């Protein structure tokens, strides 16, 4: 199943064409398409690459919903992970966007901006459920410049940061006290590079937009029409990474390292810290037992006390012919019981209030999965989705390439970020 990922923004002109003709694929109308009143009619429900592994689970949920709402028929659609954004674009253009659709905030944004998704905060029939979800998850589906939440919060995810306690100890650092802030991270990285004679780097990759967010850099203006990460604090972050690259605190292969390559460097114990998941623990146990015995788990350093999280939601088509049924179904799938049941089947976390206080997410059961699950669940309190919903893969590549030029000394940190912002803002204006 996919984690939320960036998608190519749907062209504004394409979406505008759908506004005059868009309707839910269920057809018909219950009370003028009102979200109030009894749930009736046929609705379509689209997920993102879930049928292969969870067919029985979702078919069971649909049966349960229909037992409670016998006047509603649900047609379940599931799309593969590849080209999911393109599929949404095609549905939007054809006026066949499903009544209830699985989206991450970046996928929801262009649809909501074009008026195709229901603003839950402005629809009383949906807004009454707001208190059932955590504040972080509701905010995670609230889109900048659009003044509202556009999807019922569904599952959340975050990842722990692994660190090598042995490498910390050999550098004279306390293995029980990993860095919490970026200042601590940079100090420890300098120490480790110096005391290892440049043989061990603390970090394996250059900073991403998430690092800018955790560092406390304002990423965009309030209405998400322009990037702002080239302000003084952003320049400061890149300058500090530039120093790390020169001193050996950053892996010498960092400019070309992919996430997989960074993971391999961590497994080889050439890098002291790296994000990961429960699946990595099994790999470490088998292929790097000495690393596994000395593995620490923490959250990524940040300067504002708010870890990063990934968000999934269920949006309701604003032009559905059966809004009451669509709202009822989206809420049913994302209610506390059903979210917890789903999260027990796969390594995700429920977004419903009180769920993460359950012992399943608070007490380590001694398994690798439990160890990571408890550590990750703890991080979700106060977490935010740092990656701007309007930031495309092309924009992320631009940022990465400009940072690489700064680390190599081809540009100053200021010039690199100014150039990245200028190019990305031009792409943003083109839509």
């Amino acid at each position: 199943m996919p984690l939320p990922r960036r998608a190519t923004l749907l062209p504004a002109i394409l979406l505008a064409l759908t506004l005059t003709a868009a309707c839910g694929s269920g057809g018909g109308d219950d009370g003028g398409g009102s979200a109030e009143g009894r749930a009736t009619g046929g609705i379509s429900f689209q997920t993102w690459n879930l049928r292969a592994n969870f067919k029985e689970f979702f078919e069971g949920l649909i049966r349960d919903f229909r037992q409670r709402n016998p006047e509603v028929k649900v047609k379940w659609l599931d799309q593969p992970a590849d080209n999911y954004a393109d599929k949404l674009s095609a549905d939007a253009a054809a006026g066949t966007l499903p009544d209830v659709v699985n989206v991450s905030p970046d996928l929801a944004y262009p649809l909501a901006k074009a008026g195709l998704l229901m603003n839950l905060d402005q629809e009383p029939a949906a807004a009454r459920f707001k208190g059932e979800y955590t504040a972080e998850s509701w905010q995670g589906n609230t889109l900048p410049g659009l003044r509202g939440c556009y999807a019922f919060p569904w599952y959340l995810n975050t990842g722990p940061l692994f660190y090598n306690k042995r490498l910390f100890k050999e550098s004279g650092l306390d293995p029980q006290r990993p860095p919490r802030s970026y200042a601590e991270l940079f100090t420890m990285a300098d120490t480790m590079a110096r005391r290892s004679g440049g043989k061990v780097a603390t970090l394996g990759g250059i900073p991403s937009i998430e690092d800018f967010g955790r560092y406390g850099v304002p990423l965009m203006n309030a209405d998400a029409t322009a990037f702002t990460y080239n302000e003084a604090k952003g320049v400061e972050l890149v300058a500090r990474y530039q120093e790390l690259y020169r001193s050996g605190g950053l892996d010498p292969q960092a400019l070309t390292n992919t996430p997989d390559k960074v993971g391999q460097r961590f497994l080889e114990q050439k890098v002291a810290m790296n994000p990961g998941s429960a699946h990595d623990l099994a790999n470490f146990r088998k292929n790097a037992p000495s690393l596994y015995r000395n593995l620490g788990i923490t959250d990524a350093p940040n300067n504002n006390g708010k870890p990063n999280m990934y968000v999934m939601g269920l949006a309701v088509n604003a032009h559905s012919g059966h809004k009451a049924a669509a709202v009822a179904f989206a809420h049913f799938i994302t209610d506390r019981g059903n979210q917890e049941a789903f999260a027990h089947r796969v390594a995700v976390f429920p977004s419903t209030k009180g769920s993460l206080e359950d012992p399943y997410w608070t007490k380590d059961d001694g398994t690798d999965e439990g160890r990571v699950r408890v550590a990750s669940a703890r991080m979700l309190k106060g977490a935010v989705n740092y990656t701007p919903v309007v930031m495309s893969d092309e924009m992320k590549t631009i940022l990465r390439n400009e940072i690489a030029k700064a680390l190599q000394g081809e540009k100053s940190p200021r010039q690199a970020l100014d150039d990245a912002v200028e190019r990305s803002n031009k792409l943003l204006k083109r839509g």
Side-chain angles (χ1 to χ4, degrees):
M1 66 192 308
L3 289 178
R5 61 182 184 179
R6 306 278 65 81
T8 302
L9 295 180
L10 307 185
I13 189 170
L14 173 65
L15 290 175
L17 294 175
T18 70
L19 293 178
T20 58
C23 62
S25 58
D29 198 298
D30 59 338
S34 171
E36 303 288 346
R38 192 174 72 255
T40 64
I43 61 171
S44 54
F45 163 51
Q46 180 170 288
T47 51
W48 183 358
N49 197 33
L50 296 178
R51 186 184 293 275
N53 295 320
F54 305 104
K55 182 175 183 290
E56 292 185 3
F57 178 77
F58 283 99
E59 288 180 343
L61 286 183
I62 291 171
R63 283 195 301 270
D64 290 345
F65 176 78
R66 292 208 62 211
Q67 286 180 354
R68 303 183 190 187
N69 301 271
E71 297 181 63
V72 179
K73 293 182 179 180
V74 179
K75 180 181 180 181
W76 178 27
L77 310 169
D78 187 67
Q79 301 297 335
D82 292 340
N83 303 315
Y84 187 65
D86 293 336
K87 172 61 177 172
L88 289 178
S89 177
D91 286 341
T96 57
L97 191 71
D99 298 277
V100 178
V101 61
N102 180 187
V103 290
S104 51
D106 58 308
L107 295 178
Y109 181 80
L111 299 171
K113 189 175 182 181
L116 297 181
L117 300 184
M118 179 184 290
N119 184 333
L120 305 186
D121 283 313
Q122 295 181 8
E123 177 55 66
R128 64 192 178 97
F129 299 120
K130 180 176 180 178
E132 298 180 15
Y133 305 91
T134 65
E136 293 88 350
S137 64
W138 194 269
Q139 181 60 39
N141 286 284
T142 297
L143 302 177
L146 300 181
R147 299 181 181 178
C149 174
Y150 284 84
F152 283 96
W154 197 7
Y155 58 88
L156 309 174
N157 218 331
T158 188
L161 187 67
F162 293 142
Y163 69 99
N164 189 319
K165 292 182 178 181
R166 178 184 65 81
L167 295 180
F168 270 61
K169 187 174 182 180
E170 290 177 354
S171 297
L173 301 171
D174 186 345
Q176 303 305 320
R177 295 189 62 185
R180 299 294 183 186
S181 68
Y182 276 88
E184 291 178 353
L185 172 65
F186 293 142
T187 297
M188 291 182 182
D190 286 337
T191 298
M192 190 170 293
R194 186 174 66 255
R195 293 183 178 175
S196 70
K199 295 180 180 179
V200 177
T202 298
L203 302 174
I206 64 178
S208 67
I209 194 66
E210 293 172 5
D211 288 294
F212 281 77
R214 285 190 291 251
Y215 195 72
V217 180
L219 304 179
M220 301 200 76
N221 60 7
D223 58 358
T225 58
F227 290 98
T228 59
Y229 54 76
N230 59 332
E231 59 95 63
K233 204 163 185 65
V235 174
E236 177 183 284
L237 175 64
V238 175
R240 198 63 186 87
Y241 264 85
Q242 186 183 62
E243 294 172 6
L244 281 187
Y245 186 62
R246 292 170 176 169
S247 70
L250 189 62
D251 186 66
Q253 302 175 21
L255 302 187
T256 57
N257 274 344
T258 63
D260 287 344
K261 288 182 179 179
V262 177
Q264 182 62 31
R265 297 287 285 173
F266 181 74
L267 185 144
E268 295 169 353
Q269 304 189 63
K270 300 292 181 59
V271 170
M273 304 188 78
N274 191 54
S277 69
H279 302 293
D280 294 307
L281 290 183
N283 182 34
F284 298 152
R285 186 173 61 245
K286 178 181 178 181
N287 298 312
S290 64
L291 171 62
Y292 181 77
R293 288 192 298 270
N294 291 283
L295 197 68
I297 302 178
T298 185
D299 56 340
N302 65 75
N303 292 345
N304 48 32
K306 296 180 179 181
N308 184 65
M309 71 174 176
Y310 303 97
V311 183
M312 273 291 181
L314 290 184
V316 175
N317 187 335
H319 300 272
S320 171
H322 302 290
K323 290 181 184 176
V327 168
F329 183 76
H331 170 253
F332 175 78
I333 295 294
T334 62
D335 71 17
R336 178 169 176 172
N338 290 327
Q339 283 215 41
E340 291 180 0
F342 186 51
H344 275 261
R345 283 172 163 77
V346 64
V348 295
F349 301 90
S351 61
T352 40
K353 193 173 293 183
S355 290
L356 295 182
E357 298 170 9
D358 185 274
Y360 181 73
W361 285 285
T362 61
K363 294 185 178 180
D364 188 343
D365 61 7
T367 65
D368 287 343
E369 292 77 10
R371 185 181 178 191
V372 173
R373 180 175 64 244
V374 171
S376 298
R378 187 169 56 246
M379 300 172 198
L380 287 169
K381 181 65 175 178
V384 298
N385 178 15
Y386 282 112
T387 304
V389 298
V390 298
M391 192 170 197
S392 67
D393 286 338
E394 184 177 1
M395 295 171 191
K396 289 194 294 183
T397 297
I398 288 171
L399 175 59
R400 178 180 178 84
N401 290 343
E402 290 298 331
I403 290 175
K405 292 175 183 177
L407 299 190
Q408 292 175 304
E410 295 178 15
K411 293 184 179 182
S412 69
R414 162 64 68 187
Q415 188 63 55
L417 292 186
D418 282 349
D419 290 347
V421 164
E422 181 181 7
R423 292 174 61 192
S424 294
N425 283 344
K426 286 181 179 178
L427 290 174
L428 199 59
K429 290 178 181 178
R430 287 194 344 225

